Amino acid sequence: MKKTNSPKAKSLPAGRLRAVLEPARVTYADSDSIPDRNVYPRFQPRAIQALSLALEIKGNEHNVYVSGEPNMGRTYFVKSFLTPAAAKGETPRDWVYLYNFEDSDRPISLPLPAGMGRKLKQAQQKAMTLIRQEIPGRFEKDAFQKKHERMLKKYNAKREELFGRMDATAEKENFSLSLDDEGVLTLSPIVDGEVVSDKDFDKLKPAMRKQLKAKGEELLAGVSSILRQINQNEMDMRDSESDLHRETAKAVMAECFTPVSEKFGKLDGMAEYFEALVSEVVDNVDQFMPRDSSLAGLLPEGMPGGEDFFTRFEVNLFVDNGKTKGAPVVVEDHPTAFNLLGSIEREAEMGALYTDFTLIKAGALHKANGGFLILNIEDLLGNPNSWEGLLRALRSGQSRIEDPMDPEQVRARTLQPGPIDLSLKVVLIGSDEHYEILLYNDDRFAKFFKLKAHLQHAAPRNAANIRNYLYVLGQIAHECELLPFTREALAGLVDFSSRLVEDQKRLSLYAPLVRERMIEASALARMAGKRKVALPELAAAVEAKDYRVNLYEEEFMTDYDRQVIKVATHGEATGLANGLSVTMFGDYEFGLPHQISCTVGVGHGGILDLEREAQLGGPIHTKGMMIIKSCLVRLFAQEKPIVLAGSLCFEQSYAGIEGDSASGAELASLLSALSGVPINLSYAFTGAVSQSGAIMAVGGVNRKIEGFFEVCRRRKLTGSQGVILPADNVVNLMLKDEVVQAVEQGKFHIFPVKTIEEAMLILTGMRCGKRGKNGKYPTGTLYHLVDRRLAELYKLALPTQGCKTK
């Protein structure tokens, strides 16, 4: 076999391994010099369009679903866009609940101009306090007492006159008449000028007793009509006394409550309410009378069941927008049914629960009415009653506060408050997965959330966006009260953003992750007594973050150091190749090299994927293996079938494997095993192979390269080690400084390739060759050796011809 002296492919220069923003291009001396400008929404044109439409379209159907992954600052983005727009909007009305004097179980809901709700509550409370003092005080005044005395004299005179008539009638018939305090009438006969007692009556002769008894019954029938007149007189006196009290109460109400009714009576619904309130006070004037002090402490005040009679005259300020400037923007972090939809609370009194209209409490839906309500879809779906209640409110355009009852629970007394008219926009924040789940499983979702605000995770890295990104960094520094970041540190943050998104031409919009590094860098600078955050502090913060979470990576590296995990970083071997993978532990991703081995022999079993056979390979990895077989057919099965028995295996892999990024390395080990040409193990190879042999882009290239580099660095760099990766992934390179420095010093190499042939040239030093017109590969090429070996395996696998005998 013939190998070329040097690989044809060229390794990448250090300048192409990462994008670097020159500090001189940062026009600000430090972050304190950056003006406050809210430019983050400019990075999200799709979301801005959806939210802008929501601002213009009225009604309850065009609500917004903001779709994006966590750590993108979704809630902050929505608030930063809506808050300025809402501040220019109209301030919504107050809402109050008032006692329904006709049906106490159905409180009245009324809207009032912003700020009028609290004024009404205070004015009515002040007036009713004065009325409670004035009515009893008015009864003690001389004018009332004189009227009361004149009335009593009138009825007492008539009462005495009627009693006189009764006494005269009784004396005429020789009977004595008496009436006790309870109104029981007693007739006693008079015999010989003396009143006969019950005891003496029994001693009289039977004939006398019979005569007196008959005469008494006849007399009783005669005085009964007079007795009825006396009772009627008592009733008339009480009615007159009640009318006098009512008249006094009306006078007090006219004096004390008229200012309230004149000030608020022109508001919708208030005139009828004030009229009913005045009637309630007048009809229940006895409740305003002072209580008997001898019973104080023995009986609970107020109405039965713990309800205070005077509570009905209060105002429940349900929603107060008196201090709201523009439309409200409400974020509900815990959307339980009570917190979101409102509730009817209860209080305990002597072991019993009771409620009234003052215990109706507003939810976030009511506080955001007239503005914007922001909810996280995961929190909302965790409370099914909240989700159902929200959709019900959007459908009806009204919010009805109800008690969520268990069907098996005994229903307690409750209220049916009047509905609240709704006019707001609901903004749901969630992921694409939740959006699809709701879209396909709940028809109501598409009806009421017609606007999708899709957040993009990255923005192009151009001059305009870098300038806007600096505004974002300055805003973070100001809001978090961080130390000033120097020009070099600001440039480093822009580069760190590109590393987060793994793209030299894009900026990551995962702003909270950048914010975390800034906060930690500022803390490290303070600990070191610095007044500004420079590039070393930023680098230390990034490194410290990795150090806190890379324990498993360090344990793996220790196993590589001790050769527990056997991966060669020098020498050659046939049928072996170094592949690369990425592993996630929590939120930390790191790359690890793996030894991929291949064996081939005579047989009809084909190429076995041992990972799949052991049920460790995922479907995408299995697809990669099938593509390898298809690629083999394209290259070598044009004139003959491929007949062989072989296997591919990730050595020392004991967990599941998914993805096709190692299919290039697997094909390389297979070609090496078939050709007998050894592979240079100083290189690791990552890349997915297509059926045409093209090497396609894969993910996690930075971590993969850094993982293999770390293993090589621990074993000492030889200057001949490196990584082969797809050419399409060059734009994704944002490597650490130590890798860039090693490449710059010629101690490490990174080769971009477009085809498997280019990769095999680097790995084996031998050209693969192209099929000639005769259908054969040129002698001395890798593919010629593979093709010849496959032909041998095919012949060896043919059934042996039987021997002829004479």
Side-chain angles (χ1 to χ4, degrees):
M1 68 183 66
K2 180 180 178 181
K3 291 188 178 183
T4 59
N5 295 328
S6 61
K8 182 179 179 181
K10 294 182 179 180
S11 62
L12 290 172
R16 296 190 62 189
L17 301 184
R18 61 179 299 150
V20 178
L21 176 64
E22 294 297 331
R25 293 182 59 190
V26 178
T27 57
Y28 304 103
D30 55 39
S31 57
D32 283 353
S33 305
I34 301 176
D36 282 331
R37 293 182 185 175
N38 183 24
V39 299
Y40 189 74
R42 296 183 185 179
F43 291 114
Q44 303 293 348
R46 293 174 179 81
I48 291 300
Q49 185 190 80
L51 291 172
S52 299
L53 276 175
L55 291 174
E56 295 298 326
I57 299 177
K58 305 300 180 184
N60 295 327
E61 293 185 357
H62 284 76
N63 297 289
V64 184
Y65 186 97
V66 178
S67 177
E69 296 302 316
N71 286 322
M72 290 189 67
R74 299 170 297 184
T75 303
Y76 181 86
F77 161 74
V78 173
K79 287 180 63 179
S80 65
F81 176 81
L82 290 180
T83 300
K88 301 176 183 177
E90 181 181 353
T91 302
R93 298 173 296 178
D94 292 345
W95 280 89
V96 297
Y97 271 110
L98 305 174
Y99 186 81
N100 189 338
F101 296 104
E102 294 182 359
D103 187 349
S104 61
D105 289 340
R106 296 178 181 272
I108 302 169
S109 59
L110 284 179
L112 301 175
M116 293 299 287
R118 182 167 296 278
K119 293 178 181 179
L120 171 64
K121 180 181 178 70
Q122 294 173 347
Q124 184 161 313
Q125 184 178 19
K126 183 178 179 181
M128 290 308 303
T129 301
L130 179 60
I131 290 167
R132 291 183 66 177
Q133 297 172 352
E134 187 65 19
I135 289 179
R138 191 67 61 91
F139 292 154
E140 301 296 330
K141 291 186 176 181
D142 291 341
F144 176 83
Q145 292 295 331
K146 288 178 181 179
K147 288 183 180 180
H148 192 252
E149 287 175 4
R150 285 197 299 267
M151 182 199 69
L152 290 179
K153 284 180 181 180
K154 173 184 173 182
Y155 286 101
N156 285 338
K158 187 174 181 179
R159 183 174 183 271
E160 293 299 328
E161 186 267 333
L162 291 172
F163 269 114
R165 287 172 54 188
M166 288 178 62
D167 286 338
T169 302
E171 289 178 0
K172 185 177 179 181
E173 299 296 333
N174 291 322
F175 272 83
S176 173
L177 184 145
S178 62
L179 191 69
D180 62 15
D181 294 337
E182 297 181 358
V184 178
L185 181 65
T186 303
L187 289 174
S188 300
I190 299 175
V191 179
D192 297 332
E194 294 184 0
V195 178
V196 179
S197 64
D198 291 342
K199 185 176 180 182
D200 293 337
F201 184 80
D202 293 336
K203 295 179 180 179
L204 295 176
K205 294 180 179 181
M208 178 67 72
R209 289 201 305 271
K210 184 177 181 181
Q211 181 183 2
L212 291 174
K213 186 175 182 181
K215 191 174 181 180
E217 290 176 354
E218 182 180 353
L219 178 61
L220 184 61
V223 300
S224 294
S225 62
I226 301 175
L227 185 60
R228 284 193 294 272
Q229 294 180 43
I230 294 174
N231 291 334
Q232 184 62 45
N233 181 69
E234 295 294 328
M235 293 174 63
D236 291 343
M237 184 183 70
R238 286 194 295 270
D239 289 343
S240 297
E241 188 176 35
S242 178
D243 289 342
L244 181 59
H245 288 166
R246 289 166 56 86
E247 181 183 348
T248 304
K250 283 184 179 180
V252 173
M253 292 299 291
E255 294 176 11
C256 299
F257 204 76
T258 299
V260 179
S261 60
E262 289 180 349
K263 183 177 181 179
F264 301 97
K266 295 181 181 180
L267 300 175
D268 291 342
M270 293 304 300
E272 296 84 354
Y273 168 73
F274 287 145
E275 183 179 349
L277 184 146
V278 172
S279 298
E280 186 77 3
V281 173
V282 172
D283 292 342
N284 294 276
V285 65
D286 292 344
Q287 293 287 340
F288 292 81
M289 300 296 289
R291 294 183 179 274
D292 187 352
S293 59
S294 63
L295 299 177
L298 298 179
L299 297 175
E301 294 185 2
M303 302 295 289
E307 181 182 354
D308 186 354
F309 170 80
F310 297 101
T311 300
R312 66 188 62 188
F313 303 113
E314 295 181 8
V315 174
N316 180 357
L317 183 53
F318 186 66
V319 177
D320 182 10
N321 285 312
K323 296 183 179 180
T324 304
K325 304 297 182 182
V329 178
V330 177
V331 179
E332 180 52 60
D333 296 322
H334 187 43
T336 62
F338 287 163
N339 292 344
L340 179 64
L341 306 175
S343 64
I344 303 174
E345 296 181 346
R346 285 176 169 77
E347 291 185 353
E349 182 71 28
M350 300 181 67
L353 296 177
Y354 76 94
T355 188
D356 59 54
F357 78 102
T358 64
L359 297 177
I360 304 172
K361 304 299 181 183
L365 190 65
H366 310 104
K367 297 173 183 177
N369 196 12
F372 305 91
L373 175 61
I374 303 173
L375 300 168
N376 186 286
I377 190 62
E378 291 186 14
D379 298 334
L380 188 59
L381 294 181
N383 296 275
N385 289 335
S386 299
W387 174 244
E388 293 295 328
L390 176 63
L391 292 178
R392 191 162 52 246
L394 293 175
R395 182 178 60 233
S396 64
Q398 293 181 328
S399 170
R400 296 182 181 273
I401 301 177
E402 301 173 346
D403 273 334
M405 299 294 294
D406 187 335
E408 300 181 356
Q409 182 178 353
V410 177
R411 187 172 179 85
R413 176 181 178 266
T414 188
L415 303 176
Q416 297 181 15
I420 303 294
D421 294 333
L422 295 178
S423 176
L424 79 163
K425 292 297 180 185
V426 179
V427 180
L428 296 182
I429 295 176
S431 63
D432 284 335
E433 289 78 8
H434 281 106
Y435 180 83
E436 293 185 6
I437 290 172
L438 290 171
L439 190 65
Y440 298 141
N441 294 282
D442 195 329
D443 295 338
R444 300 167 298 176
F445 174 74
K447 181 177 180 180
F448 294 109
F449 292 89
K450 297 182 181 297
L451 299 175
K452 181 181 181 181
H454 207 159
L455 298 180
Q456 60 190 49
H457 73 284
R461 179 169 170 157
N462 52 40
N465 282 341
I466 289 176
R467 182 170 59 254
N468 289 331
Y469 208 84
L470 291 173
Y471 288 134
V472 174
L473 298 178
Q475 187 176 5
I476 293 173
H478 298 160
E479 290 179 353
C480 298
E481 299 181 353
L482 306 179
L483 292 177
F485 281 71
T486 64
R487 178 181 280 111
E488 292 75 15
L490 291 172
L493 284 169
V494 173
D495 295 341
F496 175 72
S497 171
S498 292
R499 177 171 169 81
L500 283 178
V501 76
E502 291 190 298
D503 199 316
Q504 297 178 4
K505 298 182 179 181
R506 305 177 85 186
L507 297 171
S508 172
L509 297 182
Y510 285 86
L513 298 181
V514 179
R515 177 177 176 271
E516 290 176 11
R517 299 294 85 75
M518 293 178 67
I519 293 174
E520 293 169 9
S522 178
L524 290 175
R526 282 195 177 95
M527 293 168 61
K530 304 289 182 65
R531 294 184 177 181
K532 290 188 176 183
V533 181
L535 190 59
E537 285 75 39
L538 176 61
V542 174
E543 184 178 352
K545 164 68 175 180
D546 289 345
Y547 176 74
R548 292 193 298 271
V549 294
N550 73 345
L551 177 60
Y552 287 117
E553 179 187 26
E554 185 63 31
E555 291 180 354
F556 273 110
M557 290 299 166
T558 301
D559 288 339
Y560 284 111
D561 292 343
R562 298 186 297 178
Q563 297 292 327
V564 174
I565 301 178
K566 300 188 182 303
V567 172
T569 55
H570 64 277
E572 296 180 336
T574 303
L576 290 180
N578 289 332
L580 297 173
S581 69
V582 288
T583 302
M584 285 288 294
F585 275 97
D587 61 345
Y588 183 68
E589 180 184 63
F590 57 93
L592 295 175
H594 294 275
Q595 183 174 275
I596 299 175
S597 63
C598 178
T599 60
V600 293
V602 180
H604 295 270
I607 303 172
L608 291 178
D609 178 8
L610 297 187
E611 309 303 327
R612 180 186 179 187
E613 295 297 320
Q615 297 183 352
L616 292 176
I620 298 178
H621 179 263
T622 301
K623 179 184 177 182
M625 287 296 303
M626 294 178 178
I627 291 175
I628 290 174
K629 297 175 184 178
S630 299
C631 186
L632 211 62
V633 169
R634 179 185 64 84
L635 291 170
F636 306 110
Q638 301 303 309
E639 298 177 350
K640 61 182 179 304
I642 294 179
V643 181
L644 58 81
S647 63
L648 280 165
C649 175
F650 272 72
E651 300 289 354
Q652 293 184 289
S653 173
Y654 308 108
I657 295 176
E658 180 60 308
D660 61 353
S661 63
S663 59
E666 289 172 320
L667 179 57
S669 65
L670 175 60
L671 293 174
S672 172
L674 287 170
S675 65
V677 178
I679 287 177
N680 187 347
L681 298 179
S682 297
Y683 300 118
F685 183 19
T686 182
V689 67
S690 70
Q691 290 189 119
S692 63
I695 301 301
M696 300 178 295
V698 295
V701 289
N702 291 292
R703 292 296 187 180
K704 291 176 179 178
I705 293 172
E706 290 164 0
F708 186 67
F709 172 81
E710 181 64 17
V711 173
C712 295
R713 185 190 65 80
R714 287 168 173 258
R715 297 177 179 179
K716 193 175 182 180
L717 295 172
T718 62
S720 60
Q721 295 152 331
V723 171
I724 302 170
L725 80 164
D728 293 337
N729 277 127
V730 172
V731 71
N732 302 117
L733 295 178
M734 287 297 296
L735 294 168
K736 291 181 177 180
D737 290 339
E738 52 263 35
V739 181
V740 176
Q741 292 173 4
V743 171
E744 195 170 16
Q745 296 169 4
K747 296 180 179 179
F748 198 74
H749 307 277
I750 296 175
F751 297 95
V753 296
K754 295 181 179 180
T755 64
I756 186 65
E757 288 80 13
E758 292 179 16
M760 293 306 296
L761 176 60
I762 299 171
L763 290 171
T764 64
M766 178 178 288
R767 300 183 186 278
C768 290
K770 293 183 180 181
R771 189 185 296 274
K773 294 181 180 180
N774 59 355
K776 304 295 183 180
Y777 288 104
T779 304
T781 62
L782 183 71
Y783 283 172
H784 173 76
L785 297 176
V786 174
D787 194 41
R788 187 176 67 183
R789 178 57 176 163
L790 288 173
E792 293 174 356
L793 292 174
Y794 169 64
K795 292 179 180 180
L796 292 173
L798 289 176
T800 304
Q801 298 293 331
C803 297
K804 293 182 179 181
T805 59
K806 294 182 180 180

